Amino acid sequence: FYFFPLFSVDCEGGIVNRLSIYQENKLPSQDYVSSHFNDQEAKKLYFESSKLINTCGLDLNFAPVVEVKNKYNEKFLLDRSYGTFENAVKYSSLQILEAKKNNCLNVIKHFPGNSQDDPHTKIAVLDVDKNFFEQELLAPFKEVIKTKPHGVLISHIIIPAIDDEPACFSKKIVTDYLKNKLNFTGIVYSDDVYMKALTPDSSLDKVALAVSKAFKAGINVIMSSEKKYLSLVYKVAEFCNDDFELLQNIEESVFKLTKEKYKINKVFF
């Protein structure tokens, strides 16, 4: 077998747009799109932006942000949300469907949501009840998942009404809700394991422990902003010697990702 990596990018538009230097007309923010673009205009916009992603040799786009803007997250999300439930579902869905025409895969985010706390710098908590979690936070993801996006990215939010652990570590959120209740069968990605919301102490042992907990929660792929991959892999491998569940989850994730790569010609015999 010959395995080729998947190359990814953050290209939401607006302030999160890693390909802006290649765009003659900068990709606008999601908030701007939902306020100024009709369906046909948005389809054309996202068809062209995904065409550029594909032309650059990239496979995955960590977008769109599917979260609905509300009083709990608006100061953190700013213009990164489409706003209302209706707009989040409509524009997220058409972005994914247009991208598929250019063989560009989308990873929707940030499941199940965010608060005003910036997870890059501190522990993030969202104090809402179970009803709000199920009826408001999960609702847009439930609808957008019907378009069969390649992946879902899990946030580091702690929702005490559901679990005392960050979402990234929570089997209830990743496996029970996302996979079982919302019937998501694609690839599940963690957000960056070096964010302070997850690992205030970024020592190798603590980050490796975070990676292990994420895998055991049901996550398939770990995101790391630090270029310390090998040392992290070796440390997690050490943990596998005494943790069969961790080893099994990693093996299942490798098999699942290999099948996805095969579908898009990233695995050759």
Side-chain angles (χ1 to χ4, degrees), residues 230-248:
L230 282 180
S231 57
L232 190 54
V233 167
Y234 291 146
K235 179 57 67 172
V236 174
E238 286 180 22
F239 292 164
C240 289
N241 292 329
D242 301 309
D243 192 332
F244 179 74
E245 181 188 0
L246 172 61
L247 176 61
Q248 187 176 43

Side-chain angles (χ1 to χ4, degrees), residues 92-193:
S92 294
S93 297
L94 66 81
Q95 179 181 164
I96 292 165
L97 294 174
E98 289 303 307
K100 286 182 179 182
K101 297 176 183 178
N102 286 310
N103 297 316
C104 178
L105 306 177
N106 290 86
V107 180
I108 64 176
K109 59 189 186 184
H110 312 79
F111 185 87
N114 279 289
S115 68
Q116 312 288 31
D117 301 322
D118 184 350
H120 297 84
T121 60
K122 62 181 178 180
I123 292 172
V125 179
L126 181 56
D127 192 10
V128 296
D129 60 24
K130 184 177 180 181
N131 183 66
F132 187 91
F133 172 79
E134 294 183 341
Q135 300 301 319
E136 302 294 331
L137 296 186
L138 300 190
F141 288 94
K142 180 180 180 180
E143 294 303 313
V144 175
I145 281 171
K146 293 176 183 177
T147 65
K148 299 188 181 303
H150 162 80
V152 173
L153 181 142
I154 308 298
S155 72
H156 297 333
I157 197 71
I158 297 173
I159 304 176
I162 306 301
D163 200 330
D164 291 331
E165 292 272 28
C168 208
F169 295 163
S170 173
K171 198 171 221 178
K172 289 181 182 177
I173 290 175
V174 177
T175 298
D176 295 348
Y177 276 101
L178 177 61
K179 295 184 178 182
N180 296 338
K181 292 190 177 181
L182 300 192
N183 299 312
F184 180 68
T185 59
I187 304 298
V188 183
Y189 291 78
S190 78
D191 209 338
D192 179 16
V193 290

